[in-house]
Amino acid sequence: MARIIVVTSGKGGVGKTTSSAAIGLGLALKGHKVVLIDFDIGLRNLDLIMGCERRVVYDFVNVINGEATLNQALIKDKRVSSLSILPASQTRDKDALNKENVGKVLEDLGKLYDFIICDSPAGIEAGAMMALYYADEAIITTNPEVSSVRDSDRIIGMLASRSRRAELGLEPIKEHLLLTRYSPKRVAEGEMLSVEDVEDILSIPLLGVIPESQAVLKASNAGEPVILDTESDAGQAYQDVIDRLLGETIDFRFLVVEKKGIFSRMFGG
């Protein structure tokens, strides 16, 4: 049975698609069969970050409407054969999705893959609710700022009340906190919430802390998930996220201001 994981947030621009791409590829690199689904109908960015936008012929909505088979719409990643992408439609409305048809697609994918990663649109509109409805686990993605954390708290409420598991009285969705664009220097200067602040507000287990990094933008522009940049702090932090998702106990890194050595202080490095 596949693990269905939704990557969600209350606020846009916090790094959901970047995180979905990194997590999907990271799990595939560990030998798992993974499919990434873009639920952001009308916008579609996941294929850009995965570097496969020119290979999109059919999309999620085509499959739901019976205009294409899953096999026709799924795009195999060129880097890892066990990873596939199901892109969103840029020309349809989010109302094109409905619970019955989405459930059928997820059921079919569950027979083929170990992990189904659902890249959700932000907020609580129809597309976002559809992305979280069938989830077994949720990665709540937030920046360390008050408005982002407050909106994430609302999403946690939706997960507890609007999911299929909640409706059927099953075990609740397993929640994970992913804190992105974290800067220990700005935390020390009082410009950002600390990890502890966010944990106190949301009260869900911490899965990962992704540092603020130019490597993320560079990777996105290149159509390469940042987890492939193993020299960058962001790439390493996402690798830690993968290990924790797979049950390993990994210490958290990049939480404190890095102290400069004597040569860095002398020469301004």
Side-chain angles (χ1 to χ4, degrees), residues 9-10 121-129 154-155 158 162:
S9 75
I124 57 171
E125 37 93 309
M129 291 300 100
R154 191 172 184 196
I155 287 294
M158 293 294 176
R162 298 276 291 275

Side-chain angles (χ1 to χ4, degrees), residues 177-195:
L177 171 61
L178 182 63
L179 192 55
T180 56
R181 296 180 184 162
Y182 192 76
S183 169
K185 182 174 182 291
R186 293 177 64 190
V187 170
E189 292 170 353
E191 298 175 5
M192 241 179 214
L193 297 175
S194 68
V195 172

Side-chain angles (χ1 to χ4, degrees), residues 18 49 213-226 229 232:
T18 294
I49 289 182
S213 173
Q214 286 297 315
V216 173
L217 179 60
K218 181 181 175 183
S220 296
N221 287 337
E224 292 277 345
V226 71
D229 185 356
S232 72

Side-chain angles (χ1 to χ4, degrees), residues 34-250:
V34 183
V35 60
L36 286 163
I37 306 179
D38 191 345
F39 272 83
D40 206 352
I41 308 299
L43 291 177
R44 198 177 87 192
N45 287 314
L46 184 60
D47 54 300
L48 285 169
I49 289 182
M50 294 301 296
C52 64
E53 70 278 6
R54 294 180 184 175
R55 296 166 59 202
V56 176
V57 178
Y58 295 109
D59 57 52
F60 192 7
V61 176
N62 291 139
V63 175
I64 280 177
N65 290 342
E67 299 158 353
T69 65
L70 263 178
N71 193 50
Q72 288 176 300
L74 287 169
I75 301 170
K76 279 208 175 291
D77 186 79
K78 289 182 176 179
R79 293 156 294 223
V80 190
S81 62
S82 60
L83 175 64
S84 297
I85 298 97
L86 182 57
S89 170
Q90 282 186 309
T91 59
R92 308 294 181 96
D93 188 84
K94 290 179 173 62
D95 292 334
L97 303 181
N98 63 68
K99 287 179 183 177
E100 182 181 352
N101 290 339
V102 169
K104 178 66 169 64
V105 171
L106 292 175
E107 182 182 349
D108 291 343
L109 289 171
K111 299 170 185 174
L112 304 172
Y113 295 93
D114 303 318
F115 287 89
I116 300 172
I117 309 296
C118 304
D119 180 24
S120 170
I124 57 171
E125 37 93 309
M129 291 300 100
M130 203 64 64
L132 69 80
Y133 183 75
Y134 288 99
D136 301 311
E137 302 176 47
I139 297 175
I140 294 99
T141 312
T142 186
N143 294 156
E145 57 182 59
V146 172
S147 62
S148 182
V149 175
R150 180 193 62 195
D151 289 348
S152 291
D153 204 17
R154 191 172 184 196
I155 287 294
I156 292 169
M158 293 294 176
L159 290 167
S161 60
R162 298 276 291 275
S163 68
R164 179 174 175 272
R165 285 176 168 268
E167 285 182 5
L168 298 178
L170 302 175
E171 283 286 317
I173 291 174
K174 186 177 182 180
E175 297 163 341
H176 310 277
L177 171 61
L178 182 63
L179 192 55
T180 56
R181 296 180 184 162
Y182 192 76
S183 169
K185 182 174 182 291
R186 293 177 64 190
V187 170
E189 292 170 353
E191 298 175 5
M192 241 179 214
L193 297 175
S194 68
V195 172
E196 293 77 13
D197 292 333
V198 178
E199 286 183 296
D200 285 346
I201 296 168
L202 297 181
S203 299
I204 58 175
L206 183 64
L207 177 67
V209 179
I210 312 301
E212 201 167 42
S213 173
Q214 286 297 315
V216 173
L217 179 60
K218 181 181 175 183
S220 296
N221 287 337
E224 292 277 345
V226 71
I227 197 167
L228 291 174
D229 185 356
T230 56
E231 298 297 314
S232 72
D233 48 4
Q236 293 169 31
Y238 275 116
Q239 186 57 64
D240 291 350
V241 166
I242 299 303
D243 291 337
R244 293 189 194 101
L245 268 179
L246 295 176
E248 295 186 40
T249 301
I250 305 288

